[in-house]
């Protein structure tokens, strides 16, 4: 699956992320709830360029960990707090996407 679009929606302290793949699958995630508007800006400037076009395959959590590690390494000079807040939205959206594709809850995917 190739990530083709990333959208954010914010309202006061709430921030959401929608991830879509080229084949039309989508997942929804939530940013950490603090200054959601700033987090969305960081997401689009620092994270989205690293994620758009990325391929998420059948490796499951390994693919998500690899992508998250790549983002942290590529943005190491940027203040970490906002990168991590923005990354939570992407991470939860990708877990939601994976759950939808496999017909399982995120809890089931995580082994619970």
């Amino acid at each position: 699956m190739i990530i083709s679009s990333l959208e954010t929606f914010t309202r006061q302290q709430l921030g959401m992320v929608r991830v879509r793949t080229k084949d039309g699958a989508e997942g929804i995630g939530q940013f950490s709830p603090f200054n959601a508007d700033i987090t969305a800006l960081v997401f689009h400037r620092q994270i989205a360029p690293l994620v758009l076009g990325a391929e998420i395959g059948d490796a499951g959590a390994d693919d998500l960990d690899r992508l998250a590690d790549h983002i942290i390494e590529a943005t190491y000079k940027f203040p970490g707090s906002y990168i991590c807040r923005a990354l939570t939205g992407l991470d939860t959206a990708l877990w939601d996407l994976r759950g939808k594709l496999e017909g399982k809850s995120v809890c089931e995917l995580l082994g619970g």
Side-chain angles (χ1 to χ4, degrees):
M1 297 179 298
I2 296 176
I3 297 172
S4 63
S5 74
L6 299 165
E7 296 173 276
T8 57
F9 308 91
T10 62
R11 183 176 177 185
Q12 297 174 337
Q13 297 301 321
L14 178 64
M16 305 298 289
V17 174
R18 179 169 37 207
V19 174
R20 286 193 175 132
T21 64
K22 281 193 173 187
D23 62 0
E26 71 177 35
I28 305 288
Q30 181 179 347
F31 294 134
S32 295
F34 180 74
N35 292 332
D37 58 334
I38 297 171
T39 302
L41 182 64
V42 170
F43 181 85
H44 286 289
R45 288 208 181 153
Q46 300 293 124
I47 292 180
L50 300 169
V51 175
L52 287 170
E55 187 168 350
I56 301 296
D58 295 328
D62 289 339
D63 279 342
L64 301 181
D65 286 344
R66 178 186 47 78
L67 187 58
D69 288 345
H70 172 65
I71 291 166
I72 295 296
E73 289 170 10
T75 60
Y76 75 95
K77 289 185 179 181
F78 192 82
S81 175
Y82 277 102
I83 289 294
C84 291
R85 288 179 187 144
L87 190 53
T88 63
L90 176 66
D91 188 56
T92 55
L94 290 175
W95 277 104
D96 181 55
L97 170 66
R98 186 154 204 85
K100 288 175 180 175
L101 292 173
E102 293 186 23
K104 297 179 180 178
S105 70
V106 173
C107 182
E108 289 175 290
L109 292 175
L110 296 173

